[in-house]
Every structure is written in structure tokens, then in C-alpha cells.
Amino acid sequence: VSFPWQKREISNFDYLMYLNTLAGRSYNDYMQYPVFPWVLADYHSETLNLTNPHTFRDLSKPMGAQTMERKHKFIQRYNEVEKYLSAQCHYCTHYSSAIIVASYLVRMEPFTQTFCSLQGGSFDVADRMFHSVKSTWESASRDNMSDVRELIPEFFYLPEFLTNANHFELGCMQDGTVLGDVQLPPWADGDPHKFILLHRQALESDYVSAHLHRWIDLIFGHKQHGSAAVEAVNTYHPYFYGDKMDFNNIKDPLIKSTILGFISNFGQIPKQV
């Protein structure tokens, strides 16, 4: 059987939205917000070459395994983690959570207020705020062992979230940079509309169309959990697998509320589709 997506009758964007909906994810729930992949790895070139495979992120690997060095560190953590935690996993943080969603959209209401309330009433330290697409990619793919975040749909259609049109005082970084609009890659020429246009073209490109099913396997499919997930360096703390938790067997209300709080703050694996 050939499906409409395989026949290129629907866009990659529409197919990802369809899968998110099937998996119970929705714009109405920051804790289970639609999750989209990083598709590019090139945030430094003056022009974007969508015919070069090196332009793209490796969609067969989760964000924690985008570099060999990082992948080996997470495998090492998996092998050692039982000594320190009650559960064996590669990642103790998640690729999608309420705070990740609100941090991406912090320059727009009502997300500004949501972000501040999640942060205890104020903006975060400026250096930790979402301020640059390139530095966020480098953090999530290479530099920060507690950052494995993916993207949200808005990165492919909504230029407004990249500008500080409301003139919020987001603070000043340690290097003196005052936070305002999100810093864009050189190939976007400082234009949020051009960034969205090229980013959407990247999502719909031949390369992504040929490899997107591998990312889908990691997030929505058979590499989500079990031995396939271990092999793919794609296991998360058990609390993230909300539908696998049997809350009826947890008698201690404190433990139950702790787990529910953990899920609401740190993210949830989508239902397998």
C-alpha cells in the first residue's frame, strides 16, 4: 500500500502535523506540544545549498547522537547511570517540554507570560534565553549535555516569533549583547521571512523527504523505547514515558505527585503511532 505522503501528495509539514495529532500532541497543551525536527546543520554559510547532504542534520540519529563524541558520552552515561539513578537511560532531559516551547515563543504573548510564570515570575538569565538559531543548534546538537531539544512547527511558518516586536526587556548577555530579535543565520540576511521561507524549503527538500521516516521512527515509531531505542541511543528517563507508567500501582501520593510534576515540567514521549 502506498500512502499519500510516500507519493508526495501531502507536504512533509502536513504529514508531521498529522503524526503529532495521532500521537496526542496539540497546540492546546504546552506539555505535549507538536514536535518538529531540526532539519539543517548549516547555520554559518552565506547561502544555503539544499542539494548538499552536509547541509542537513542526520535525521537517523536523535539530538544526543549528532556528534560521535557526544554520542559516546551518552552511551557511557547509560552504562554508568544505575549507580546514581533508579533508572537506566541516555537522557534525563527531553526534546520537547512546556519550558522549551515557551522559550522559543517568548517574544510573543501569551507565551511571554507563560515563560515568566514557568520561570518563577521573570525572564531567565539572558545567556540562557533563546537568542540565536545557530547557538541553539550548537547547544542542542553538540555543546550542552542537558540540551537535546528539537523544534516546534512555528520554525517553518511564523516569522513573527523571531522578532521582539513588543520590545520586551529580555536582558543583556555576559558579552554585552542586548537581547532583542533572534539572531538568524547569514543565509537569511537578517530577514525572518527569508529564514522561514528557506527553512520550509529545507523541510520539503528531496534530502529531508528521503530521510524523514528515520526521525519519525525515533520520535513516533518503534525506536521510541525498548531494545531498538537503546541501540539508537534514544532512551529517556522512565518518567517521560507517561503512558507506560502505571499510576494505579503507586500508592504513595508524594511519589505520584512528584512523577506527575516531573512529566509536566520536563516533557513527555508521544504516544507510539
Side-chain angles (χ1 to χ4, degrees):
V1 180
S2 184
F3 295 102
W5 177 62
Q6 290 172 311
K7 291 193 251 175
R8 306 289 287 269
E9 289 173 3
I10 64 171
S11 67
N12 291 337
F13 182 93
D14 287 341
Y15 187 57
L16 287 170
M17 284 304 297
Y18 173 67
L19 289 175
N20 271 286
T21 304
L22 275 184
R25 300 185 82 84
S26 157
Y27 284 121
N28 298 324
D29 186 350
Y30 293 165
M31 293 178 282
Q32 294 193 80
Y33 207 77
V35 57
F36 268 57
W38 288 96
V39 292
L40 293 173
D42 181 355
Y43 299 96
H44 54 270
S45 297
E46 293 296 325
T47 55
L48 195 60
N49 182 358
L50 296 180
T51 62
N52 182 355
H54 296 294
T55 297
F56 297 93
R57 166 255 180 103
D58 187 340
L59 287 158
S60 70
K61 296 184 175 73
M63 290 304 290
Q66 290 295 309
T67 70
M68 286 303 291
E69 182 187 2
R70 185 165 150 102
K71 178 181 174 182
H72 288 314
K73 281 182 184 172
F74 280 120
I75 291 172
Q76 187 178 4
R77 174 191 281 179
Y78 181 87
N79 292 331
E80 293 177 354
V81 81
E82 280 182 303
K83 298 175 198 168
Y84 311 106
L85 290 170
S86 58
Q88 196 172 24
C89 60
H90 294 108
Y91 313 116
C92 295
T93 55
H94 200 250
Y95 50 76
S96 175
S97 66
I99 194 70
I100 289 171
V101 172
S103 70
Y104 281 145
L105 300 174
V106 69
R107 290 163 178 79
M108 296 172 60
E109 291 289 14
F111 302 98
T112 314
Q113 292 306 315
T114 302
F115 181 83
C116 288
S117 65
L118 288 169
Q119 279 293 127
S122 62
F123 292 120
D124 199 357
V125 175
D127 286 80
R128 288 202 299 259
M129 295 278 285
F130 171 54
H131 66 276
S132 155
V133 178
K134 178 174 180 276
S135 67
T136 303
W137 160 254
E138 289 171 350
S139 171
S141 66
R142 188 188 71 199
D143 295 341
N144 185 347
M145 289 290 283
S146 62
D147 183 2
V148 293
R149 78 189 107 164
E150 294 278 8
L151 298 183
I152 54 175
E154 284 82 352
F155 273 85
F156 300 94
Y157 69 83
L158 189 71
E160 286 78 11
F161 88 97
L162 297 163
T163 62
N164 187 22
N166 292 316
H167 306 293
F168 292 119
E169 292 186 12
L170 301 170
C172 183
M173 294 169 64
Q174 285 184 332
D175 65 5
T177 304
V178 177
L179 262 57
D181 296 347
V182 175
Q183 293 170 12
L184 302 174
W187 44 259
D189 297 324
D191 180 351
H193 289 85
K194 185 172 183 181
F195 172 83
I196 295 292
L197 175 70
L198 291 174
H199 205 216
R200 183 65 171 264
Q201 286 177 0
L203 178 65
E204 305 299 342
S205 67
D206 289 341
Y207 179 90
V208 172
S209 296
H211 295 87
L212 186 57
H213 64 283
R214 296 176 171 230
W215 182 83
I216 290 167
D217 286 343
L218 294 168
I219 306 299
F220 300 107
H222 73 286
K223 292 185 179 177
Q224 224 189 40
H225 53 81
S227 58
V230 175
E231 199 175 320
V233 195
N234 193 41
T235 65
Y236 297 81
H237 193 283
Y239 290 175
F240 293 131
Y241 299 86
D243 59 339
K244 302 275 185 291
M245 299 292 299
D246 187 356
F247 289 105
N248 294 325
N249 284 339
I250 302 171
K251 301 297 181 223
D252 188 324
L254 184 61
I255 293 174
K256 190 181 281 191
S257 68
T258 301
I259 294 171
L260 288 168
F262 191 97
I263 291 167
S264 66
N265 283 321
F266 298 109
Q268 207 168 338
I269 302 286
K271 288 192 199 109
Q272 191 171 346
V273 296

PDB file of all heavy atoms in Angstrom, residues 20 29 46-47 53 69 149 153 205 209-211:
ATOM      1  N   ASN A  20       1.767  14.161  14.741  1.00  0.00           N
ATOM      2  CA  ASN A  20       1.673  14.760  16.076  1.00  0.00           C
ATOM      3  C   ASN A  20       0.263  14.638  16.633  1.00  0.00           C
ATOM      4  O   ASN A  20       0.072  14.307  17.806  1.00  0.00           O
ATOM      5  CB  ASN A  20       2.108  16.233  16.012  1.00  0.00           C
ATOM      6  CG  ASN A  20       3.593  16.433  16.218  1.00  0.00           C
ATOM      7  OD1 ASN A  20       4.099  16.321  17.330  1.00  0.00           O
ATOM      8  ND2 ASN A  20       4.313  16.719  15.139  1.00  0.00           N
ATOM      9  N   ASP A  29      -1.747  22.190  24.455  1.00  0.00           N
ATOM     10  CA  ASP A  29      -1.060  21.633  25.619  1.00  0.00           C
ATOM     11  C   ASP A  29       0.436  21.852  25.483  1.00  0.00           C
ATOM     12  O   ASP A  29       1.100  21.195  24.683  1.00  0.00           O
ATOM     13  CB  ASP A  29      -1.378  20.129  25.718  1.00  0.00           C
ATOM     14  CG  ASP A  29      -0.826  19.486  26.984  1.00  0.00           C
ATOM     15  OD1 ASP A  29      -0.039  20.148  27.694  1.00  0.00           O
ATOM     16  OD2 ASP A  29      -1.171  18.318  27.252  1.00  0.00           O
ATOM     17  N   GLU A  46      26.900  31.695   3.871  1.00  0.00           N
ATOM     18  CA  GLU A  46      26.232  32.886   3.329  1.00  0.00           C
ATOM     19  C   GLU A  46      25.017  32.499   2.484  1.00  0.00           C
ATOM     20  O   GLU A  46      24.034  33.230   2.427  1.00  0.00           O
ATOM     21  CB  GLU A  46      27.212  33.701   2.472  1.00  0.00           C
ATOM     22  CG  GLU A  46      28.361  34.336   3.259  1.00  0.00           C
ATOM     23  CD  GLU A  46      27.887  35.379   4.260  1.00  0.00           C
ATOM     24  OE1 GLU A  46      26.901  36.097   3.969  1.00  0.00           O
ATOM     25  OE2 GLU A  46      28.508  35.477   5.339  1.00  0.00           O
ATOM     26  N   THR A  47      25.120  31.353   1.802  1.00  0.00           N
ATOM     27  CA  THR A  47      23.983  30.857   1.022  1.00  0.00           C
ATOM     28  C   THR A  47      23.719  29.407   1.419  1.00  0.00           C
ATOM     29  O   THR A  47      24.644  28.681   1.795  1.00  0.00           O
ATOM     30  CB  THR A  47      24.250  30.926  -0.498  1.00  0.00           C
ATOM     31  OG1 THR A  47      25.466  30.224  -0.788  1.00  0.00           O
ATOM     32  CG2 THR A  47      24.371  32.359  -0.968  1.00  0.00           C
ATOM     33  N   PRO A  53      24.196  17.141   0.889  1.00  0.00           N
ATOM     34  CA  PRO A  53      23.782  16.385   2.081  1.00  0.00           C
ATOM     35  C   PRO A  53      24.375  16.921   3.385  1.00  0.00           C
ATOM     36  O   PRO A  53      23.762  16.792   4.451  1.00  0.00           O
ATOM     37  CB  PRO A  53      24.300  14.969   1.801  1.00  0.00           C
ATOM     38  CG  PRO A  53      24.430  14.887   0.322  1.00  0.00           C
ATOM     39  CD  PRO A  53      24.791  16.272  -0.135  1.00  0.00           C
ATOM     40  N   GLU A  69      31.491  12.173  19.560  1.00  0.00           N
ATOM     41  CA  GLU A  69      31.955  12.424  20.935  1.00  0.00           C
ATOM     42  C   GLU A  69      30.775  12.478  21.903  1.00  0.00           C
ATOM     43  O   GLU A  69      30.782  11.849  22.968  1.00  0.00           O
ATOM     44  CB  GLU A  69      32.732  13.745  20.980  1.00  0.00           C
ATOM     45  CG  GLU A  69      33.296  14.054  22.346  1.00  0.00           C
ATOM     46  CD  GLU A  69      33.932  15.453  22.412  1.00  0.00           C
ATOM     47  OE1 GLU A  69      33.891  16.188  21.406  1.00  0.00           O
ATOM     48  OE2 GLU A  69      34.432  15.792  23.489  1.00  0.00           O
ATOM     49  N   ARG A 149      16.985  19.410  22.801  1.00  0.00           N
ATOM     50  CA  ARG A 149      15.690  19.896  22.298  1.00  0.00           C
ATOM     51  C   ARG A 149      15.582  19.816  20.774  1.00  0.00           C
ATOM     52  O   ARG A 149      16.555  19.999  20.051  1.00  0.00           O
ATOM     53  CB  ARG A 149      15.435  21.325  22.783  1.00  0.00           C
ATOM     54  CG  ARG A 149      16.182  22.396  22.036  1.00  0.00           C
ATOM     55  CD  ARG A 149      16.043  23.745  22.704  1.00  0.00           C
ATOM     56  NE  ARG A 149      17.283  24.112  23.360  1.00  0.00           N
ATOM     57  CZ  ARG A 149      17.583  25.333  23.761  1.00  0.00           C
ATOM     58  NH1 ARG A 149      16.697  26.316  23.621  1.00  0.00           N
ATOM     59  NH2 ARG A 149      18.737  25.595  24.343  1.00  0.00           N
ATOM     60  N   PRO A 153       6.585  23.608  15.327  1.00  0.00           N
ATOM     61  CA  PRO A 153       6.130  23.911  13.959  1.00  0.00           C
ATOM     62  C   PRO A 153       6.359  25.355  13.523  1.00  0.00           C
ATOM     63  O   PRO A 153       6.589  25.627  12.335  1.00  0.00           O
ATOM     64  CB  PRO A 153       4.625  23.597  14.013  1.00  0.00           C
ATOM     65  CG  PRO A 153       4.451  22.671  15.161  1.00  0.00           C
ATOM     66  CD  PRO A 153       5.516  23.006  16.154  1.00  0.00           C
ATOM     67  N   SER A 205      12.581  19.567   1.159  1.00  0.00           N
ATOM     68  CA  SER A 205      13.617  19.213   0.181  1.00  0.00           C
ATOM     69  C   SER A 205      13.666  17.710  -0.084  1.00  0.00           C
ATOM     70  O   SER A 205      13.147  16.904   0.684  1.00  0.00           O
ATOM     71  CB  SER A 205      14.993  19.682   0.684  1.00  0.00           C
ATOM     72  OG  SER A 205      15.366  18.927   1.836  1.00  0.00           O
ATOM     73  N   SER A 209      12.922  14.647   2.572  1.00  0.00           N
ATOM     74  CA  SER A 209      11.853  13.718   2.181  1.00  0.00           C
ATOM     75  C   SER A 209      12.348  12.273   2.168  1.00  0.00           C
ATOM     76  O   SER A 209      11.609  11.352   2.516  1.00  0.00           O
ATOM     77  CB  SER A 209      11.314  14.091   0.792  1.00  0.00           C
ATOM     78  OG  SER A 209      10.721  15.372   0.835  1.00  0.00           O
ATOM     79  N   ALA A 210      13.617  12.084   1.788  1.00  0.00           N
ATOM     80  CA  ALA A 210      14.183  10.731   1.706  1.00  0.00           C
ATOM     81  C   ALA A 210      14.602  10.178   3.067  1.00  0.00           C
ATOM     82  O   ALA A 210      14.764   8.965   3.220  1.00  0.00           O
ATOM     83  CB  ALA A 210      15.380  10.739   0.760  1.00  0.00           C
ATOM     84  N   HIS A 211      14.775  11.050   4.061  1.00  0.00           N
ATOM     85  CA  HIS A 211      15.303  10.608   5.362  1.00  0.00           C
ATOM     86  C   HIS A 211      14.374  10.846   6.546  1.00  0.00           C
ATOM     87  O   HIS A 211      14.648  10.379   7.647  1.00  0.00           O
ATOM     88  CB  HIS A 211      16.651  11.306   5.642  1.00  0.00           C
ATOM     89  CG  HIS A 211      17.730  10.922   4.672  1.00  0.00           C
ATOM     90  ND1 HIS A 211      17.908  11.575   3.477  1.00  0.00           N
ATOM     91  CD2 HIS A 211      18.682   9.945   4.725  1.00  0.00           C
ATOM     92  CE1 HIS A 211      18.933  11.024   2.832  1.00  0.00           C
ATOM     93  NE2 HIS A 211      19.408  10.034   3.556  1.00  0.00           N
TER      94      HIS A 211
END
